Amino acid sequence: MPRKYIPHGHRGGSKKGSHANAGARERAHMGWGGNSKASQRARSNQWAEAARQYEAKRAQRKAAGRISVASVARFLEFGTSKMSKRPFMTQAFQAKKQEALDIIIRDIKESLGL
């Protein structure tokens, strides 16, 4: 896990007078220090939150490069400023529209009893 997602109290620095030790000393009187159940819960909550933040950022990076199928179909059908059009939906519609209309009319007549 990258350092920026690790909770501040767990980033290392075990030398005397370091930032981590200063934070531990400050939290010790508030019930955060030692191995009490409250301090264990607090640490596990910190790690869980750090993991959630990391996974959320990872998901954003993954989703950034995805293009929907509808967008690709639109680009192919109508083209872009740098790509000529390659129609496939319009041609399919023109080829089958009369057949589809005949089926719709037949089904409506059947349902009305005509």
Side-chain angles (χ1 to χ4, degrees), residues 22-109:
R25 283 191 301 274
E26 287 176 16
R27 290 188 300 273
H29 74 279
M30 299 186 318
W32 283 62
N35 287 323
S36 69
K37 293 222 183 260
S39 64
Q40 289 173 356
R41 273 195 304 275
R43 282 193 299 273
S44 69
N45 289 341
Q46 285 177 332
W47 280 104
E49 181 59 31
R52 276 193 290 276
Q53 288 175 0
Y54 177 70
E55 288 301 321
K57 290 286 186 185
R58 240 177 105 206
Q60 285 176 349
R61 284 193 305 268
K62 273 186 172 179
R66 294 188 181 176
I67 300 173
S68 70
V69 174
S71 294
V72 173
R74 186 182 74 231
F75 298 151
L76 288 172
E77 185 70 25
F78 303 111
T80 66
S81 63
K82 297 182 180 191
M83 181 180 88
S84 62
K85 61 182 177 178
R86 299 176 191 160
F88 65 97
M89 291 185 292
T90 307
Q91 293 171 352
F93 174 74
Q94 295 296 332
K96 296 291 184 175
K97 71 179 177 183
Q98 189 58 48
E99 184 181 336
L101 185 61
D102 292 340
I103 291 171
I104 292 169
I105 291 171
R106 185 193 71 213
D107 287 350
I108 290 173
K109 283 182 178 180

Side-chain angles (χ1 to χ4, degrees), residues 1-7 11 46 50-51 53-54 57 61:
M1 184 180 308
R3 181 178 170 85
K4 68 181 182 178
Y5 295 105
I6 298 173
R11 287 190 180 177
Q46 285 177 332
Q53 288 175 0
Y54 177 70
K57 290 286 186 185
R61 284 193 305 268

